[in-house]
Amino acid sequence: MNVIGYIRVSTQGQAKEGYSLAYQRDEIEAYCKAQGWNLLHVYEDAGISGAEVDEEALEVEREGFRDMLEALADGGVSYVLVLNTNRLWRSDIVKVLVHRELKCYGVDIKSIEQPTYSIHRKDPNDFLINGLMELLDQYQRLEIALKLGRGRMKKAQQGGYAGGRAAFGYMAKKGKKVIEVNALQASAVRQLFEIRKSNPSMTLAETARRLNAEGYSTQQGKRFTKVQVKRILDRKELYEGKMSYGNVKAAGLHEAIL
């Protein structure tokens, strides 16, 4: 049986809680060996939330996940194997999108920590157990988000960096309260906005192709897609030197790129 593995962490804290990429990979490889399954590849996303979604295209915003879907399109895969389903999604909308994508390819989910889980299973007992596990997981996530949100709101009010992964064009150094400009990435940001200014009718996909043709690449050194282009365009205020978090907007302490 052919399977594909998927692993993800959104923060360094998850590595301390036992969800490091290396741990997830080891568990997946050991499970496949015990089951006698053929593990074709393990796709990964590092430092990316499981709740992120492209609201315009209604697609999951993760490069590793998108690469995995391209591999599934070739056929011959029975399962996407994960340590826990929370590696695939962290919100109801993302769960629906993941289910939709995998059903299109006739692929099911196999979770090591939730052995009865299936996107096709209709058994009421399994539905109850899996549902309760997901509710508890979501409760923990919301509780953590609430605590972090208070601190980030205060930082944003002061114009400081609210936390999390720095936006493309900037870098966050440990112990620093202000994000710093990444010169190489900042050049790509300026060029992107210049392209859009000169070609207002150009689509996101065409803009991405233009950036790629000019030799620019993403934080991971990969080609730009319309998802990354939209993410940068949506952060124009940040690149202009402003800081926002929720409903809070303030003059940022960071250097403007635009």
Side-chain angles (χ1 to χ4, degrees):
M1 181 184 295
N2 293 329
V3 301
I4 281 178
Y6 178 77
I7 58 180
R8 180 187 62 82
V9 292
S10 60
T11 64
Q12 290 298 320
Q14 287 187 345
K16 297 177 182 178
E17 294 168 7
Y19 276 117
S20 70
L21 291 176
Y23 175 75
Q24 292 177 62
R25 185 183 296 273
D26 288 345
E27 288 294 298
I28 286 174
E29 290 176 350
Y31 190 88
C32 286
K33 184 177 180 179
Q35 298 294 325
W37 292 352
N38 180 30
L39 180 62
L40 299 177
H41 190 76
V42 178
Y43 291 89
E44 69 175 63
D45 281 305
I48 301 178
S49 169
E52 290 296 323
V53 62
D54 178 359
E55 296 181 359
E56 179 185 33
L58 277 181
E59 295 177 345
V60 177
E61 279 191 334
R62 291 179 238 151
E63 289 188 33
F65 182 83
R66 303 309 305 178
D67 290 343
M68 181 185 73
L69 292 182
E70 290 182 13
L72 292 178
D74 295 333
V77 176
S78 299
Y79 290 110
V80 168
L81 180 61
V82 292
L83 179 63
N84 190 291
T85 54
N86 61 24
R87 300 303 87 203
L88 282 168
W89 60 74
R90 279 287 199 170
S91 71
D92 289 337
I93 182 61
V94 176
K95 175 183 177 181
V96 170
L97 294 176
V98 170
H99 277 212
R100 181 192 68 180
E101 297 280 11
L102 296 187
K103 284 180 179 178
C104 286
Y105 299 116
V107 178
D108 202 354
I109 296 170
K110 178 63 71 174
S111 170
I112 296 174
E113 294 183 345
Q114 300 148 290
T116 64
Y117 193 90
S118 170
I119 62 177
H120 308 293
R121 190 179 296 278
K122 302 299 182 181
D123 183 273
N125 290 328
D126 290 333
F127 177 81
L128 176 62
I129 293 171
N130 291 325
L132 287 173
M133 291 179 69
E134 288 175 7
L135 282 173
L136 286 171
D137 181 71
Q138 190 172 22
Y139 171 79
Q140 290 179 325
R141 178 176 177 272
L142 290 172
E143 187 177 35
I144 293 171
L146 180 63
K147 292 177 181 177
L148 292 176
R150 295 193 187 103
R152 290 175 177 175
M153 187 73 74
K154 185 175 182 179
K155 289 180 182 178
Q157 289 172 339
Q158 298 170 345
Y161 179 51
R165 186 174 62 166
F168 183 81
Y170 290 99
M171 51 189 173
K173 293 186 177 180
K174 190 174 182 179
K176 297 280 187 177
K177 296 183 178 180
V178 180
I179 51 177
E180 299 178 6
V181 172
N182 180 309
L184 185 61
Q185 294 177 9
S187 176
V189 171
R190 295 189 189 97
Q191 182 60 7
L192 169 56
F193 279 94
E194 184 60 36
I195 291 172
R196 295 291 287 184
K197 181 180 179 181
S198 303
N199 306 273
S201 62
M202 183 178 287
T203 66
L204 295 175
E206 290 171 340
T207 306
R209 287 195 289 271
R210 175 78 174 272
L211 280 176
N212 295 328
E214 294 183 10
Y216 294 104
S217 60
T218 67
Q219 286 176 321
Q220 292 78 27
K222 297 182 179 181
R223 294 172 62 82
F224 276 98
T225 66
K226 65 180 182 180
V227 173
Q228 285 93 16
V229 167
K230 183 178 185 300
R231 187 180 296 127
I232 292 173
L233 293 174
D234 288 345
R235 289 171 171 165
K236 184 178 181 182
E237 289 189 347
L238 174 72
Y239 297 124
E240 292 176 333
K242 303 168 187 174
M243 184 60 72
S244 63
Y245 184 78
N247 295 323
V248 175
K249 295 185 183 294
L253 300 177
H254 62 285
E255 179 184 346
I257 290 178
L258 301 177

